[in-house]
Amino acid sequence: MIPGPRNLITDVPGLLVGNAQNDALKSGATVLTAAEPFVTSVHVMGGAPGSRETDLLAPDKSVAKIDALTLAGGSAYGLDACSGVSDALRAQGRGYKVAEAIIPIVPGAIIFDLLNGGNKNWQDNPYRALGRAAFEAAGPDFALGTAGAGTGALTAMLKGGLGSASLVLDSGITVAALVAANPMGSVTTPGDRHFWAAPFEVDGEFGGIGPDPATGLGRVLESRKMKTMLGQAQDRANTTIAIVATDAILSKAQCQRVAVAAHDGIARAVVPAHSPGDGDLVFALSTSAQEMALPERDLTHIGHAASICLSRAIARGIHLATPAAGDPLLCWSQANSSA
């Protein structure tokens, strides 16, 4: 398994991603779309999710394919980013058709970034416009780190961010991940240098520092993020939301199984993961371009690759985060500037 040419989720042919952010707000949105609708399902393992239209993605529900997925900051306010994407899709005549009616279906999920130092004193919800702008910016290349839905993200110890990674399997099937990493847990081991995901790194994509040589890790759960939010709603101020994708032909039920497997990637990159205060959620999609030669074996490999891509994407998002005025936490590059 090797990364695709971009090491982005857009290595899955046909997928496009766009970002939009407001630096004063310290928040933004990220939209994934494609020229053709795609099969999608979802699995939630966090205790405090924020999402829209996810019930529709269950294998027994009637809509087979969707046109876009949205990740956004803003907590519940950020779900309105999906409305902006729906507006843009409707303007293009895209969506689920019922006779003469066109109904864009845009599932989405949000992270909590309302206490990150940005100016949240808006009069009108800004996320609808951010969602539409992200959709209209969609293309094969997009920024990582402090961008889109990851603009205002925070981990336990460092600034969070938007990450992505891909793998091409020996079968020729491509698997990839896109994530807005804003977890309660830490993405680095004590000392802020080594990533928990280091064993899965490819070609120095998040610094090439390697695994932490220390032992007995994971027993102390310090959080600068919680300290900065002390006395506020820190117990629910978290979430890792992600999309994993493949060009293999999968059913909704098989996509759901891939989403379940991909959650292992969060657990390998974030300590602790899937807490009561996290909203950890993974969408899984198929562009239905390649037949699986041996479906049971290939589905296992796709799920495994999705989990590896998600671990790497989380670390890349934090590694590529950049500093901005008013940040409550340092980014990885600042914490390791003298290392």
Side-chain angles (χ1 to χ4, degrees):
M1 294 189 288
I2 60 171
R6 294 184 176 87
N7 200 18
L8 298 173
I9 198 168
T10 48
D11 286 329
V12 176
L15 294 185
L16 305 171
V17 171
N19 288 327
Q21 57 272 337
N22 181 314
D23 293 334
L25 184 68
K26 284 189 181 292
S27 191
T30 297
V31 175
L32 180 147
T33 189
E36 299 295 329
F38 43 86
V39 179
T40 308
S41 193
V42 67
H43 187 65
V44 180
M45 291 189 69
S51 60
R52 168 170 155 164
E53 306 263 33
T54 49
D55 283 354
L56 188 67
L57 303 179
D60 63 325
K61 299 303 184 290
S62 58
V63 173
K65 296 184 178 182
I66 64 169
D67 289 289
L69 289 166
T70 301
L71 308 179
S75 189
Y77 299 103
L79 293 175
D80 206 32
C82 299
S83 299
V85 179
S86 294
D87 291 343
L89 285 165
R90 186 177 184 275
Q92 295 181 4
R94 296 172 58 186
Y96 183 69
K97 293 178 174 59
V98 181
E100 299 302 316
I102 297 175
I103 310 164
I105 308 296
V106 184
I110 47 84
I111 64 171
F112 184 103
D113 59 3
L114 298 178
L115 301 176
N116 64 0
N119 180 8
K120 306 303 193 293
N121 189 30
W122 65 74
Q123 298 302 311
D124 297 306
N125 189 325
Y127 288 95
R128 189 173 192 129
L130 285 167
R132 183 158 191 164
F135 176 84
E136 292 174 346
D141 295 299
F142 58 97
L144 300 181
T146 305
T151 298
L154 302 170
T155 76
M157 304 301 284
L158 298 168
K159 194 169 180 178
L162 186 76
S164 191
S166 69
L167 285 172
V168 180
L169 311 189
D170 294 344
S171 63
I173 290 170
T174 300
V175 180
L178 173 69
V179 63
N182 181 64
M184 185 193 82
S186 176
V187 176
T188 51
T189 63
D192 303 332
R193 181 164 172 77
H194 296 271
F195 289 95
W196 292 109
F200 307 101
E201 185 177 15
V202 180
D203 296 333
E205 63 193 338
F206 41 89
I209 306 301
D212 195 325
T215 60
L217 299 171
R219 293 180 295 166
V220 178
L221 302 180
E222 184 182 359
S223 175
R224 297 188 190 105
K225 179 179 181 178
M226 295 300 99
K227 290 177 182 178
T228 65
M229 298 178 182
L230 192 63
Q232 302 181 69
Q234 71 262 29
D235 61 330
R236 294 178 183 269
N238 315 287
T239 292
T240 299
I241 50 175
I243 303 168
V244 295
T246 182
D247 54 359
I249 298 173
L250 302 182
S251 66
K252 284 176 76 175
Q254 289 170 323
C255 282
Q256 187 179 60
R257 179 48 47 190
V258 171
V260 171
H263 271 281
D264 288 351
I266 298 177
R268 292 167 182 158
V270 179
V271 177
H274 305 140
S275 77
D278 280 303
D280 296 346
L281 173 154
V282 178
F283 295 106
L285 72 89
S286 162
T287 60
S288 303
Q290 289 206 57
E291 292 275 2
M292 292 187 288
L294 296 170
E296 186 172 338
R297 180 207 66 184
D298 288 346
L299 187 62
T300 298
H301 289 179
I302 290 166
H304 173 58
S307 70
I308 292 175
C309 286
L310 186 45
S311 289
R312 294 164 52 223
I314 290 168
R316 290 190 80 199
I318 280 64
H319 180 253
L320 293 171
T322 53
D327 285 346
L329 297 179
L330 295 177
C331 61
W332 186 90
S333 62
Q334 291 173 301
N336 290 278
S337 60
S338 59

